[in-house]
Amino acid sequence: MTPVLIVLNAGSSSLKFQVYDMLDGAEPQLVWKGLYEGLGDTAHFIVKDADGTILEEKTWVGGNQTGHEEALMHLVSWLSQFREERKPVAIGHRVVHGGETFSAPVLVDESVVQRLELLVPLAPLHQPHNLEPIRIVRRRLPGMPQVACFDTAFHQTQSDIATLFALPREMRESGVRRYGFHGLSYDYISSVLKDYEPRLAEGRVIVAHLGNGASLCALKDGVSVATTMGFSALDGLPMGTRCGAIDAGVVFYMLREMKLSPDEAEGVLYKRSGLLGVSGLSNDMRVLRGHAATNADAKRAIDMFVYRITREIGSLVAALGGIDGLVFTAGIGENDVATRAEVMAGLAWTGLTLDDAINRTGGPCISSGDGPMAWVIPTNEELVIARQTRSVLGGMQAKLAS
Ligand code: ADP
């Protein structure tokens, strides 16, 4: 029997999963990946093999509603049918917030669950969904080891000054500070830099994670020294539907003058802003690019996105004292040729020079000349969760053996 790890990434109505073979000493190998969407309503399941061939699809309609628990149990039963001499030995979960308590992945037990619950107010829109499958597995598959892997943990290397808000001291002491997110993605990019360009692994690199959620991370010698997201995943760059950094005064104005409730104001900032809010059209870059030539609002949203990325990169260049490399990753960073070209044009002052032809073909190295280098590197957050889960399990086995 080959031991396998299940990696779970749960959202409000979705459950993404990947299954990895865990062979001695080797990198975890992806076997199957899939998604449950529309949970709680008309649910859809799709699973593919590592090459992307669809193995099975299923939709649950009408009264036969499927939530996270049913999806998880369906996955377990699907795995038992398809398992081909494979045995699930652990589950690794993406958990958005580890707070100040968790600076590394952790084996989940009751006290860990309780401490993770305490962090819900720090990430109310994400953390509860991440914790739900952990609770379900504890109830339905007791004895299955579970490891929580955090989006915040990678940024624990940042200095006190980099994480400090200019707020009264007691607020910092109660946990109001910059945490940073997308750490699993930055961990992956940091781990593969040496395979792309060994000099970058030891240099000053800015990683642009540009997906529906978007942030930047400044890496020095492969570790995080600054990032654009702060206390919440709302800060920094504008995103698909999130506003990014805004003057806190706007929030008071929304509450006091516009008479929005805190929940309504939160809804505006998280769900109705960013590319969607400015364009009035879509949060999806492909749609905006398709309309940019004829729709001034779509063009304006893209121009704002690019402007803010370029400006924030300037701030991280200052934090790093220069730049040796820029990495584009996630949906927009990996695929949108025009966004890469426009951001690079705004950074000509750093010496970054675009190789237009190679950029069109996707790189991986899209810069030319002797200046800083620019790369397109696909991210792989699930592989980082598989790696971290395995390393926590290894530590657990070593402890049991000693
Ligand atoms: P998430 O943060 O949800 O994981 P992704 O990393 O999948 O998001 O990124 C989604 C974004 O990537 C969307 O704005 C989408 O339009 C954009 N995107 C995906 N493929 C392309 C493409 N070929 N060209 C331009 N944008 C793309």
Side-chain angles (χ1 to χ4, degrees):
M1 281 274 184
T2 307
V4 295
L5 295 173
I6 302 173
V7 169
L8 294 181
N9 182 357
S12 59
S13 63
S14 68
L15 182 68
K16 289 188 201 156
F17 66 90
Q18 297 202 349
V19 179
Y20 285 84
D21 275 352
M22 202 168 69
L23 303 166
D24 268 352
E27 178 92 316
Q29 287 295 314
L30 179 66
V31 201
W32 300 304
K33 60 181 169 186
L35 168 70
Y36 294 85
E37 300 181 276
L39 295 178
D41 195 356
T42 299
H44 183 245
F45 162 70
I46 184 166
V47 58
K48 301 175 182 174
D49 67 15
D51 299 325
T53 306
I54 296 176
L55 300 177
E56 198 174 320
E57 268 191 280
K58 184 173 163 131
T59 302
W60 292 266
V61 272
N64 192 4
Q65 294 204 335
T66 301
H68 285 83
E69 181 152 355
E70 290 79 7
L72 239 163
M73 296 322 289
H74 177 267
L75 174 61
V76 169
S77 106
W78 185 87
L79 284 175
S80 66
Q81 284 163 32
F82 253 81
R83 81 179 158 209
E84 301 167 3
E85 301 302 307
R86 292 184 164 96
K87 182 178 179 328
V89 293
I91 299 181
H93 297 264
R94 178 188 203 158
V95 178
V96 73
H97 220 304
E100 302 211 279
T101 323
F102 299 106
S103 55
V106 63
L107 187 68
V108 173
D109 60 17
E110 189 49 38
S111 97
V112 168
V113 174
Q114 281 172 15
R115 281 181 284 164
L116 291 175
E117 303 265 10
L118 294 177
L119 299 173
V120 166
L122 296 184
L125 301 187
H126 295 99
Q127 193 86 341
H129 307 304
N130 301 157
L131 298 188
E132 193 178 354
I134 295 182
R135 274 195 232 96
I136 295 169
V137 171
R138 282 176 67 73
R139 198 167 58 239
R140 301 291 302 265
L141 305 170
M144 174 67 78
Q146 301 193 79
V147 175
C149 304
F150 302 102
D151 266 310
T152 46
F154 186 72
H155 301 294
Q156 293 268 346
T157 47
Q158 290 184 12
S159 69
D160 173 52
I161 297 298
T163 60
L164 200 54
F165 287 125
L167 289 171
R169 267 165 44 184
E170 62 273 18
M171 300 210 69
R172 172 68 179 79
E173 279 147 25
S174 63
V176 180
R177 48 161 282 192
R178 302 179 64 87
Y179 289 96
F181 298 88
H182 289 137
L184 298 165
S185 175
Y186 296 129
D187 188 324
Y188 177 77
I189 299 295
S190 169
S191 75
V192 297
L193 277 178
K194 60 181 182 319
D195 305 328
Y196 286 84
E197 172 58 56
R199 276 178 298 164
L200 286 190
E202 286 158 18
R204 298 161 299 179
V205 175
I206 294 171
V207 185
H209 177 108
L210 308 177
N212 259 321
S215 71
L216 304 170
C217 180
L219 299 175
K220 203 171 205 167
D221 299 334
V223 303
S224 171
V225 297
T227 189
T228 55
M229 276 182 175
F231 177 71
S232 71
L234 198 56
D235 200 6
L237 303 180
M239 309 174 213
T241 63
R242 284 174 252 168
C243 58
I246 57 164
D247 180 341
V250 173
V251 181
F252 299 116
Y253 186 80
M254 288 165 99
L255 299 180
R256 249 188 233 123
E257 303 302 323
M258 302 178 84
K259 307 285 182 218
L260 300 188
S261 69
D263 283 354
E264 286 168 338
E266 189 178 59
V268 170
L269 301 181
Y270 272 93
K271 300 199 171 131
R272 292 176 45 208
S273 298
L275 293 173
L276 173 66
V278 174
S279 69
L281 181 68
S282 174
N283 64 318
D284 191 305
M285 182 56 90
R286 278 167 295 196
V287 175
L288 297 180
R289 287 284 176 202
H291 286 78
T294 52
N295 180 324
D297 293 329
K299 179 169 180 330
R300 195 157 167 253
I302 296 173
D303 288 349
M304 175 246 2
F305 185 61
V306 169
Y307 170 75
R308 292 278 295 276
I309 295 168
T310 313
R311 239 182 87 163
E312 290 287 334
I313 288 177
S315 130
L316 294 187
V317 172
L320 285 168
I323 178 168
D324 301 309
L326 173 64
V327 174
F328 290 95
T329 194
I332 299 172
E334 290 167 30
N335 298 297
D336 194 45
V337 173
T339 294
R340 293 196 301 258
E342 291 162 14
V343 168
M344 290 281 286
L347 294 170
W349 59 274
T350 64
L352 274 162
T353 310
L354 184 71
D355 184 319
D356 208 34
I358 298 184
N359 183 40
R360 283 175 207 286
T361 60
C365 180
I366 59 169
S367 56
S368 63
D370 299 331
M373 305 178 88
W375 294 82
V376 179
I377 303 181
T379 193
N380 195 341
E381 291 154 297
E382 289 80 9
L383 178 61
V384 172
I385 298 172
R387 286 174 180 167
Q388 293 187 351
T389 302
R390 185 168 71 174
S391 107
V392 169
L393 284 185
M396 182 178 92
Q397 277 153 4
K399 229 188 235 170
L400 289 176
S402 65

